[in-house]
PDB file of all heavy atoms in Angstrom:
ATOM      1  N   VAL A 252      -8.460   4.527   1.125  1.00 94.00           N
ATOM      2  CA  VAL A 252      -7.926   3.223   0.764  1.00 94.00           C
ATOM      3  C   VAL A 252      -8.659   2.253   1.635  1.00 94.00           C
ATOM      4  O   VAL A 252      -8.986   2.547   2.788  1.00 94.00           O
ATOM      5  CB  VAL A 252      -6.437   3.159   0.909  1.00 94.00           C
ATOM      6  CG1 VAL A 252      -5.982   3.324   2.298  1.00 94.00           C
ATOM      7  CG2 VAL A 252      -5.817   1.927   0.298  1.00 94.00           C
ATOM      8  N   SER A 253      -8.927   1.028   1.118  1.00 89.00           N
ATOM      9  CA  SER A 253      -9.810   0.047   1.822  1.00 89.00           C
ATOM     10  C   SER A 253      -9.328  -0.391   3.137  1.00 89.00           C
ATOM     11  O   SER A 253     -10.095  -0.598   4.070  1.00 89.00           O
ATOM     12  CB  SER A 253     -10.048  -1.152   0.895  1.00 89.00           C
ATOM     13  OG  SER A 253      -8.830  -1.750   0.610  1.00 89.00           O
ATOM     14  N   ALA A 254      -8.013  -0.538   3.377  1.00 90.00           N
ATOM     15  CA  ALA A 254      -7.492  -0.942   4.663  1.00 90.00           C
ATOM     16  C   ALA A 254      -6.449   0.027   5.150  1.00 90.00           C
ATOM     17  O   ALA A 254      -5.576   0.435   4.360  1.00 90.00           O
ATOM     18  CB  ALA A 254      -6.924  -2.331   4.520  1.00 90.00           C
ATOM     19  N   SER A 255      -6.481   0.345   6.429  1.00 94.00           N
ATOM     20  CA  SER A 255      -5.508   1.323   6.961  1.00 94.00           C
ATOM     21  C   SER A 255      -4.266   0.593   7.484  1.00 94.00           C
ATOM     22  O   SER A 255      -3.270   1.187   7.778  1.00 94.00           O
ATOM     23  CB  SER A 255      -6.137   2.177   8.035  1.00 94.00           C
ATOM     24  OG  SER A 255      -6.506   1.336   9.138  1.00 94.00           O
ATOM     25  N   SER A 256      -4.297  -0.723   7.578  1.00 96.00           N
ATOM     26  CA  SER A 256      -3.181  -1.482   8.055  1.00 96.00           C
ATOM     27  C   SER A 256      -3.206  -2.946   7.528  1.00 96.00           C
ATOM     28  O   SER A 256      -4.323  -3.432   7.256  1.00 96.00           O
ATOM     29  CB  SER A 256      -3.043  -1.489   9.607  1.00 96.00           C
ATOM     30  OG  SER A 256      -4.145  -2.180  10.167  1.00 96.00           O
ATOM     31  N   THR A 257      -2.059  -3.563   7.459  1.00 96.00           N
ATOM     32  CA  THR A 257      -2.004  -4.997   7.064  1.00 96.00           C
ATOM     33  C   THR A 257      -0.708  -5.605   7.596  1.00 96.00           C
ATOM     34  O   THR A 257       0.205  -4.868   7.903  1.00 96.00           O
ATOM     35  CB  THR A 257      -2.051  -5.037   5.470  1.00 96.00           C
ATOM     36  OG1 THR A 257      -2.199  -6.428   5.132  1.00 96.00           O
ATOM     37  CG2 THR A 257      -0.791  -4.483   4.850  1.00 96.00           C
ATOM     38  N   THR A 258      -0.776  -6.925   7.692  1.00 96.00           N
ATOM     39  CA  THR A 258       0.381  -7.644   8.179  1.00 96.00           C
ATOM     40  C   THR A 258       0.751  -8.680   7.111  1.00 96.00           C
ATOM     41  O   THR A 258      -0.073  -9.361   6.576  1.00 96.00           O
ATOM     42  CB  THR A 258       0.072  -8.398   9.510  1.00 96.00           C
ATOM     43  OG1 THR A 258      -0.300  -7.437  10.500  1.00 96.00           O
ATOM     44  CG2 THR A 258       1.295  -9.195  10.002  1.00 96.00           C
ATOM     45  N   LEU A 259       2.069  -8.762   6.816  1.00 96.00           N
ATOM     46  CA  LEU A 259       2.550  -9.632   5.743  1.00 96.00           C
ATOM     47  C   LEU A 259       3.758 -10.388   6.208  1.00 96.00           C
ATOM     48  O   LEU A 259       4.357 -10.072   7.192  1.00 96.00           O
ATOM     49  CB  LEU A 259       2.926  -8.791   4.505  1.00 96.00           C
ATOM     50  CG  LEU A 259       1.923  -7.936   3.849  1.00 96.00           C
ATOM     51  CD1 LEU A 259       2.556  -7.009   2.791  1.00 96.00           C
ATOM     52  CD2 LEU A 259       0.828  -8.755   3.212  1.00 96.00           C
ATOM     53  N   ARG A 260       4.100 -11.401   5.405  1.00 94.00           N
ATOM     54  CA  ARG A 260       5.358 -12.135   5.558  1.00 94.00           C
ATOM     55  C   ARG A 260       6.306 -11.665   4.494  1.00 94.00           C
ATOM     56  O   ARG A 260       5.897 -11.125   3.492  1.00 94.00           O
ATOM     57  CB  ARG A 260       5.155 -13.646   5.476  1.00 94.00           C
ATOM     58  CG  ARG A 260       4.309 -14.223   6.568  1.00 94.00           C
ATOM     59  CD  ARG A 260       4.107 -15.675   6.362  1.00 94.00           C
ATOM     60  NE  ARG A 260       3.300 -16.244   7.479  1.00 94.00           N
ATOM     61  CZ  ARG A 260       3.157 -17.453   7.699  1.00 94.00           C
ATOM     62  NH1 ARG A 260       3.692 -18.364   6.948  1.00 94.00           N
ATOM     63  NH2 ARG A 260       2.378 -17.881   8.713  1.00 94.00           N
ATOM     64  N   LYS A 261       7.573 -11.950   4.660  1.00 93.00           N
ATOM     65  CA  LYS A 261       8.577 -11.552   3.641  1.00 93.00           C
ATOM     66  C   LYS A 261       8.153 -12.140   2.265  1.00 93.00           C
ATOM     67  O   LYS A 261       7.773 -13.235   2.187  1.00 93.00           O
ATOM     68  CB  LYS A 261       9.926 -12.082   4.047  1.00 93.00           C
ATOM     69  CG  LYS A 261      11.069 -11.625   3.193  1.00 93.00           C
ATOM     70  CD  LYS A 261      12.365 -12.117   3.709  1.00 93.00           C
ATOM     71  CE  LYS A 261      13.530 -11.733   2.781  1.00 93.00           C
ATOM     72  NZ  LYS A 261      14.808 -12.171   3.274  1.00 93.00           N
ATOM     73  N   ASN A 262       8.309 -11.341   1.266  1.00 95.00           N
ATOM     74  CA  ASN A 262       8.008 -11.669  -0.135  1.00 95.00           C
ATOM     75  C   ASN A 262       6.555 -11.710  -0.458  1.00 95.00           C
ATOM     76  O   ASN A 262       6.174 -12.003  -1.583  1.00 95.00           O
ATOM     77  CB  ASN A 262       8.714 -12.910  -0.580  1.00 95.00           C
ATOM     78  CG  ASN A 262      10.205 -12.849  -0.538  1.00 95.00           C
ATOM     79  OD1 ASN A 262      10.745 -11.809  -0.941  1.00 95.00           O
ATOM     80  ND2 ASN A 262      10.886 -13.852  -0.068  1.00 95.00           N
ATOM     81  N   GLN A 263       5.637 -11.399   0.459  1.00 96.00           N
ATOM     82  CA  GLN A 263       4.202 -11.337   0.176  1.00 96.00           C
ATOM     83  C   GLN A 263       3.908  -9.960  -0.424  1.00 96.00           C
ATOM     84  O   GLN A 263       4.697  -8.979  -0.206  1.00 96.00           O
ATOM     85  CB  GLN A 263       3.324 -11.567   1.412  1.00 96.00           C
ATOM     86  CG  GLN A 263       3.238 -12.981   1.780  1.00 96.00           C
ATOM     87  CD  GLN A 263       2.234 -13.176   2.924  1.00 96.00           C
ATOM     88  OE1 GLN A 263       2.172 -12.433   3.920  1.00 96.00           O
ATOM     89  NE2 GLN A 263       1.326 -14.177   2.773  1.00 96.00           N
ATOM     90  N   THR A 264       2.818  -9.804  -1.170  1.00 97.00           N
ATOM     91  CA  THR A 264       2.465  -8.589  -1.796  1.00 97.00           C
ATOM     92  C   THR A 264       1.063  -8.199  -1.388  1.00 97.00           C
ATOM     93  O   THR A 264       0.254  -9.019  -0.959  1.00 97.00           O
ATOM     94  CB  THR A 264       2.520  -8.659  -3.311  1.00 97.00           C
ATOM     95  OG1 THR A 264       1.550  -9.633  -3.754  1.00 97.00           O
ATOM     96  CG2 THR A 264       3.911  -9.019  -3.805  1.00 97.00           C
ATOM     97  N   VAL A 265       0.792  -6.878  -1.504  1.00 96.00           N
ATOM     98  CA  VAL A 265      -0.545  -6.366  -1.301  1.00 96.00           C
ATOM     99  C   VAL A 265      -0.772  -5.260  -2.367  1.00 96.00           C
ATOM    100  O   VAL A 265       0.157  -4.459  -2.634  1.00 96.00           O
ATOM    101  CB  VAL A 265      -0.794  -5.838   0.128  1.00 96.00           C
ATOM    102  CG1 VAL A 265       0.063  -4.663   0.420  1.00 96.00           C
ATOM    103  CG2 VAL A 265      -2.259  -5.539   0.323  1.00 96.00           C
ATOM    104  N   GLN A 266      -1.961  -5.277  -2.976  1.00 97.00           N
ATOM    105  CA  GLN A 266      -2.258  -4.272  -3.998  1.00 97.00           C
ATOM    106  C   GLN A 266      -3.070  -3.157  -3.348  1.00 97.00           C
ATOM    107  O   GLN A 266      -4.191  -3.428  -2.793  1.00 97.00           O
ATOM    108  CB  GLN A 266      -3.100  -4.905  -5.147  1.00 97.00           C
ATOM    109  CG  GLN A 266      -3.537  -3.871  -6.236  1.00 97.00           C
ATOM    110  CD  GLN A 266      -2.348  -3.311  -6.980  1.00 97.00           C
ATOM    111  OE1 GLN A 266      -1.523  -4.018  -7.506  1.00 97.00           O
ATOM    112  NE2 GLN A 266      -2.248  -2.009  -6.981  1.00 97.00           N
ATOM    113  N   LEU A 267      -2.577  -1.909  -3.352  1.00 96.00           N
ATOM    114  CA  LEU A 267      -3.333  -0.795  -2.815  1.00 96.00           C
ATOM    115  C   LEU A 267      -4.333  -0.272  -3.892  1.00 96.00           C
ATOM    116  O   LEU A 267      -3.924  -0.123  -5.050  1.00 96.00           O
ATOM    117  CB  LEU A 267      -2.378   0.353  -2.443  1.00 96.00           C
ATOM    118  CG  LEU A 267      -1.303   0.004  -1.424  1.00 96.00           C
ATOM    119  CD1 LEU A 267      -0.452   1.198  -1.155  1.00 96.00           C
ATOM    120  CD2 LEU A 267      -1.946  -0.502  -0.135  1.00 96.00           C
ATOM    121  N   SER A 268      -5.575  -0.088  -3.467  1.00 95.00           N
ATOM    122  CA  SER A 268      -6.615   0.294  -4.394  1.00 95.00           C
ATOM    123  C   SER A 268      -7.372   1.536  -3.835  1.00 95.00           C
ATOM    124  O   SER A 268      -8.411   1.401  -3.225  1.00 95.00           O
ATOM    125  CB  SER A 268      -7.601  -0.832  -4.625  1.00 95.00           C
ATOM    126  OG  SER A 268      -6.947  -1.976  -5.190  1.00 95.00           O
ATOM    127  N   PRO A 269      -6.802   2.720  -4.038  1.00 96.00           N
ATOM    128  CA  PRO A 269      -7.444   3.913  -3.494  1.00 96.00           C
ATOM    129  C   PRO A 269      -8.662   4.300  -4.319  1.00 96.00           C
ATOM    130  O   PRO A 269      -8.842   3.956  -5.474  1.00 96.00           O
ATOM    131  CB  PRO A 269      -6.305   4.997  -3.640  1.00 96.00           C
ATOM    132  CG  PRO A 269      -5.467   4.522  -4.690  1.00 96.00           C
ATOM    133  CD  PRO A 269      -5.509   2.999  -4.657  1.00 96.00           C
ATOM    134  N   THR A 270      -9.545   5.059  -3.648  1.00 96.00           N
ATOM    135  CA  THR A 270     -10.714   5.663  -4.317  1.00 96.00           C
ATOM    136  C   THR A 270     -10.793   7.119  -3.886  1.00 96.00           C
ATOM    137  O   THR A 270     -10.254   7.551  -2.880  1.00 96.00           O
ATOM    138  CB  THR A 270     -12.024   4.880  -3.862  1.00 96.00           C
ATOM    139  OG1 THR A 270     -12.125   5.012  -2.447  1.00 96.00           O
ATOM    140  CG2 THR A 270     -11.991   3.422  -4.339  1.00 96.00           C
ATOM    141  N   GLY A 271     -11.541   7.889  -4.698  1.00 95.00           N
ATOM    142  CA  GLY A 271     -11.685   9.261  -4.431  1.00 95.00           C
ATOM    143  C   GLY A 271     -10.537  10.107  -4.878  1.00 95.00           C
ATOM    144  O   GLY A 271      -9.605   9.631  -5.553  1.00 95.00           O
ATOM    145  N   GLY A 272     -10.516  11.377  -4.517  1.00 95.00           N
ATOM    146  CA  GLY A 272      -9.422  12.273  -4.978  1.00 95.00           C
ATOM    147  C   GLY A 272      -9.377  12.406  -6.481  1.00 95.00           C
ATOM    148  O   GLY A 272     -10.309  12.106  -7.193  1.00 95.00           O
ATOM    149  N   ILE A 273      -8.252  12.804  -6.976  1.00 95.00           N
ATOM    150  CA  ILE A 273      -8.028  12.989  -8.432  1.00 95.00           C
ATOM    151  C   ILE A 273      -6.842  12.012  -8.855  1.00 95.00           C
ATOM    152  O   ILE A 273      -5.833  11.988  -8.251  1.00 95.00           O
ATOM    153  CB  ILE A 273      -7.531  14.435  -8.738  1.00 95.00           C
ATOM    154  CG1 ILE A 273      -8.612  15.445  -8.245  1.00 95.00           C
ATOM    155  CG2 ILE A 273      -7.222  14.592 -10.218  1.00 95.00           C
ATOM    156  CD1 ILE A 273      -9.775  15.610  -9.176  1.00 95.00           C
ATOM    157  N   LYS A 274      -7.203  11.247  -9.883  1.00 95.00           N
ATOM    158  CA  LYS A 274      -6.160  10.330 -10.447  1.00 95.00           C
ATOM    159  C   LYS A 274      -5.206  11.167 -11.350  1.00 95.00           C
ATOM    160  O   LYS A 274      -5.664  12.249 -11.845  1.00 95.00           O
ATOM    161  CB  LYS A 274      -6.797   9.255 -11.273  1.00 95.00           C
ATOM    162  CG  LYS A 274      -7.590   8.284 -10.458  1.00 95.00           C
ATOM    163  CD  LYS A 274      -8.203   7.249 -11.344  1.00 95.00           C
ATOM    164  CE  LYS A 274      -9.040   6.239 -10.505  1.00 95.00           C
ATOM    165  NZ  LYS A 274      -9.673   5.223 -11.337  1.00 95.00           N
ATOM    166  N   PRO A 275      -4.002  10.784 -11.619  1.00 96.00           N
ATOM    167  CA  PRO A 275      -3.377   9.600 -11.150  1.00 96.00           C
ATOM    168  C   PRO A 275      -2.872   9.751  -9.715  1.00 96.00           C
ATOM    169  O   PRO A 275      -2.685  10.813  -9.222  1.00 96.00           O
ATOM    170  CB  PRO A 275      -2.194   9.439 -12.091  1.00 96.00           C
ATOM    171  CG  PRO A 275      -1.853  10.821 -12.500  1.00 96.00           C
ATOM    172  CD  PRO A 275      -3.216  11.562 -12.553  1.00 96.00           C
ATOM    173  N   TYR A 276      -2.717   8.599  -9.028  1.00 97.00           N
ATOM    174  CA  TYR A 276      -2.209   8.561  -7.675  1.00 97.00           C
ATOM    175  C   TYR A 276      -0.712   8.351  -7.675  1.00 97.00           C
ATOM    176  O   TYR A 276      -0.171   7.672  -8.602  1.00 97.00           O
ATOM    177  CB  TYR A 276      -2.892   7.404  -6.897  1.00 97.00           C
ATOM    178  CG  TYR A 276      -4.395   7.460  -6.866  1.00 97.00           C
ATOM    179  CD1 TYR A 276      -5.171   6.501  -7.496  1.00 97.00           C
ATOM    180  CD2 TYR A 276      -5.024   8.525  -6.232  1.00 97.00           C
ATOM    181  CE1 TYR A 276      -6.564   6.585  -7.462  1.00 97.00           C
ATOM    182  CE2 TYR A 276      -6.443   8.612  -6.209  1.00 97.00           C
ATOM    183  CZ  TYR A 276      -7.190   7.640  -6.825  1.00 97.00           C
ATOM    184  OH  TYR A 276      -8.558   7.710  -6.820  1.00 97.00           O
ATOM    185  N   ARG A 277      -0.009   8.835  -6.652  1.00 97.00           N
ATOM    186  CA  ARG A 277       1.396   8.555  -6.547  1.00 97.00           C
ATOM    187  C   ARG A 277       1.567   7.751  -5.243  1.00 97.00           C
ATOM    188  O   ARG A 277       0.998   8.013  -4.170  1.00 97.00           O
ATOM    189  CB  ARG A 277       2.149   9.920  -6.343  1.00 97.00           C
ATOM    190  CG  ARG A 277       3.658   9.716  -6.398  1.00 97.00           C
ATOM    191  CD  ARG A 277       4.425  11.030  -6.362  1.00 97.00           C
ATOM    192  NE  ARG A 277       4.500  11.485  -4.962  1.00 97.00           N
ATOM    193  CZ  ARG A 277       4.027  12.635  -4.542  1.00 97.00           C
ATOM    194  NH1 ARG A 277       3.416  13.482  -5.320  1.00 97.00           N
ATOM    195  NH2 ARG A 277       4.143  12.932  -3.262  1.00 97.00           N
TER     196      ARG A 277
END
Side-chain angles (χ1 to χ4, degrees):
V252 65
S253 59
S255 61
S256 66
T257 189
T258 300
L259 302 171
R260 295 178 180 193
K261 186 176 177 182
N262 297 320
Q263 283 187 314
T264 61
V265 64
Q266 178 66 55
L267 301 180
S268 300
T270 58
I273 302 279
K274 293 180 182 179
Y276 303 115
R277 190 177 80 240

